Amino acid sequence: MNDVVIVGGGPNGLMLACELALGGVRPVVLERRTEPNPEPRSNGLVGQVVRMVDRRGLFERLSGQPGPPRAHRGHYVFGALPLDLGLVEDSPLHTLPVPERDLVGVLEDRARELGVDIRRGHECTGLVQDDDGVTLAVDGPRGAHELRARYLVGADSAHSAVREAAGIGFPGVTHDRTTTRTAHATVPPEWVDAATGVLTVPGHGAVPPFLPARTAHGGFTYAPLPGRPPLIATVEWDGPDIDVPMSLEEMRASVRRVLGTDVPLQSPAGEGPHLLRRLRGGNTRVAERYRAGRVFLVGDAAHVLPAGGTGLNLGLQDAINLGWKLAARLTGGVDVLDTYDTERRPHADRAITFSQAQAALLAPGDDVTGLRQVFGELLTQPGVVRVLADLVAGSDVRYPVAEGAHPWAGWAAPELDLRTSRGTVRLSEMVRAARPLLLDLTEGGELDVAGVEVVRARADTDVTALLLRPDSWVAWASNEPRPDQEGPRHAVDQWFAAG
């Protein structure tokens, strides 16, 4: 019997596979495609997940640049309004431009390095679970067969066959009020400022890169992504249904309606695939539960949001949360699997709030124009910018903790420079093995707790001790010069001890 079978070999399924392998479990990944999906999809990672890929040693592979990620401190965007991160002392927002197909490639390479069994051309067609495991019906290159696993995870998209077979509802809202068009296309080079990347459209004005421009007729975005053709996007409201393939001329016409002037878009040179896509309407859905017995959901199988990049950021963090918990259960640790739903579902609900708020600010009409003017005035206040930056980063939801817990408990650990006997090391480098870790930052280094690795160090913080889960979330912390040993021992028993 296999320990874990993951249905879906996209970024979320592969991230989960890597997490399980780090925890001592070798999963099987079933992917119906025989080759990676060539279609351009999301274009990068934003928020807490960027720090998490750094904490797994993947940031340099994905970015192609040396060094750790740095917080974004310039202008970002919220609802096509500028979010000036220079107004906050410590920006919580990190960005990592990377095409989804490159992300999948890096994660698949890492999974194979860790010994994960990835089976392409295998599709799950049904499942039956009992008290001891799950039996999957699988169609593969050699025909239909069955596969048995102790646990099954559906990472198989919004149309998840695993979710449907497990009987998990997927309530939410579907609407058809918007049409979004996206294309890789070039613009006249003389319209682009080489220093700032600002696109100046005659008859409209300046369009900063990556910052959506809203007009009375829709939205327009110019995104000159590194190493790729520029990405042009429009959103319009209440347009007609169209049942012919998207064309570049249709893209030009949409830009003309939104901006009120022509932009001579051209097809990019070189090999594709080049994106040319039209999406009518959108979905906002969250699974009624993330677990049904021995079946779990991650990523789009668990939640769908109008902004695809938001869903990817959310899904990768789902995988990191579930991975260590499944691995711990299978290797004799405490059963904390029910906390996966209680910790991750609030993040999906918050991400929906994020998407809905932005949609309201982008809608047409004079009343929305007035709302945007008031909102723009609020965005000059550092406190407001901080709240929205945390919302964009996904760092504003705390995992449930006991009453009276330390202020750091339930939050992702901050980055720290740890001065150890072997030199200074970043916390992100210390946690790459995905194991529980107790940081003893006391003057005398007196903490001694069985069942967890203890690292004695000094750091520029008032916190004197910190117990981290394998996903780098804080399970326990103290500010006492000599913390009571019972605090970390209780937390270790609660989260990690053999049960």
Side-chain angles (χ1 to χ4, degrees):
M1 180 186 289
N2 299 285
D3 284 328
V4 181
V5 170
I6 302 167
V7 177
N12 299 312
L14 291 170
M15 177 62 87
L16 175 61
C18 292
E19 292 297 297
L20 286 165
L22 288 171
V25 174
R26 297 294 182 267
V28 173
V29 178
L30 305 181
E31 170 53 49
R32 63 181 180 83
R33 295 179 182 272
T34 57
E35 298 291 338
N37 186 358
E39 180 184 354
R41 295 171 65 84
S42 68
N43 294 297
L45 305 179
V46 176
Q48 288 192 111
V49 71
V50 177
R51 292 174 57 207
M52 282 309 307
V53 297
D54 179 42
R55 288 177 173 177
R56 291 301 181 258
L58 298 174
F59 178 79
E60 291 189 9
R61 291 198 198 187
L62 291 169
S63 67
Q65 299 174 357
R70 291 174 174 81
H72 192 91
R73 298 189 183 278
H75 279 84
Y76 201 70
V77 64
F78 186 89
L81 289 166
L83 192 64
D84 185 359
L85 297 171
L87 294 175
V88 297
E89 182 177 350
D90 182 20
S91 170
L93 195 60
H94 295 75
T95 59
L96 174 56
V98 56
E100 186 168 320
R101 59 184 175 181
D102 292 353
L103 173 62
V104 169
V106 168
L107 289 175
E108 183 165 344
D109 288 346
R110 178 57 173 155
R112 293 189 187 279
E113 290 170 7
L114 293 169
V116 174
D117 183 0
I118 301 173
R119 303 180 187 179
R120 289 195 169 274
H122 288 73
E123 182 175 6
C124 174
T125 59
L127 65 92
V128 176
Q129 64 171 310
D130 53 46
D131 291 342
D132 299 319
V134 185
T135 302
L136 291 78
V138 180
D139 276 345
R142 297 184 179 179
H145 61 281
E146 289 187 345
L147 200 62
R148 183 80 170 152
R150 290 182 174 85
Y151 293 99
L152 171 66
V153 182
D156 52 339
S157 82
H159 303 288
S160 172
V162 170
R163 185 187 64 238
E164 183 175 348
I168 299 175
F170 204 38
V173 176
T174 299
H175 71 82
D176 61 357
R177 64 180 180 267
T178 61
T179 301
T180 302
R181 295 176 176 87
T182 313
H184 283 128
T186 61
V187 297
E190 63 272 18
W191 290 12
V192 180
D193 185 293
T196 64
V198 171
L199 171 68
T200 300
V201 179
H204 170 76
V207 178
F210 305 104
L211 300 181
R214 175 196 175 266
T215 73
H217 306 288
F220 172 83
T221 304
Y222 167 68
L225 296 160
R228 284 165 281 166
L231 195 67
I232 307 294
T234 63
V235 58
E236 297 182 81
W237 283 264
D238 300 322
D241 287 330
I242 304 173
D243 59 2
V244 298
M246 169 82 166
S247 67
L248 192 59
E249 179 53 42
E250 180 183 329
M251 187 80 234
R252 294 190 194 103
S254 178
V255 173
R256 187 183 310 118
R257 289 190 296 270
V258 171
L259 296 184
T261 189
D262 286 313
V263 176
L265 303 175
Q266 299 296 325
S267 297
E271 295 184 5
H274 296 139
L275 186 63
L276 200 61
R277 182 170 61 202
R278 178 200 314 117
L279 294 176
R280 176 70 170 171
N283 285 291
T284 302
R285 298 184 178 276
V286 178
E288 62 185 13
R289 60 190 189 280
Y290 284 11
R291 177 185 189 181
R294 291 179 173 268
V295 178
F296 295 84
L297 304 175
V298 300
D300 286 354
H303 42 71
V304 175
L305 298 97
T310 302
L312 176 59
N313 292 315
L314 200 63
L316 292 173
Q317 292 181 84
D318 292 342
I320 293 166
N321 185 286
L322 178 60
W324 75 269
K325 295 173 181 178
L326 265 177
R329 182 57 179 160
L330 287 163
T331 55
V334 173
D335 184 355
V336 292
L337 287 171
D338 282 341
T339 66
Y340 171 60
D341 183 279
T342 58
E343 290 184 346
R344 293 307 303 164
R345 275 177 55 85
H347 278 262
D349 292 337
R350 191 62 173 162
I352 287 174
T353 299
F354 168 82
S355 296
Q356 290 172 332
Q358 294 203 91
L361 288 166
L362 287 165
D366 292 340
D367 52 346
V368 175
T369 301
L371 173 64
R372 290 175 61 84
Q373 181 176 346
V374 172
F375 209 82
E377 293 172 4
L378 292 174
L379 289 180
T380 64
Q381 300 180 22
V384 174
V385 172
R386 178 71 201 205
V387 168
L388 292 179
D390 283 332
L391 178 59
V392 173
S395 57
D396 62 339
V397 179
R398 187 184 192 185
Y399 288 165
V401 295
E403 185 177 351
H406 189 276
W408 283 24
W411 298 102
E415 185 61 283
L416 295 171
D417 289 327
L418 303 173
R419 298 186 294 275
T420 72
S421 59
R422 293 178 292 178
T424 300
V425 62
R426 292 189 301 121
L427 176 62
S428 290
E429 298 171 293
M430 190 75 73
V431 298
R432 289 180 177 170
R435 298 286 190 272
L437 184 69
L438 177 60
L439 293 179
D440 184 349
L441 307 177
T442 61
E443 190 76 36
E446 299 177 354
L447 288 176
D448 183 16
V449 178
V452 64
E453 179 184 0
V454 180
V455 172
R456 309 192 195 285
R458 303 302 302 275
D460 295 330
T461 174
D462 293 334
V463 173
T464 57
L466 197 61
L467 177 64
L468 301 184
R469 308 184 330 183
D471 57 3
S472 295
W473 248 255
V474 178
W476 170 88
S478 176
N479 286 79
E480 297 297 325
R482 301 184 65 179
D484 187 340
Q485 303 269 10
E486 288 305 309
R489 287 172 183 167
H490 174 74
V492 167
D493 289 342
Q494 178 186 0
W495 287 104
F496 314 124

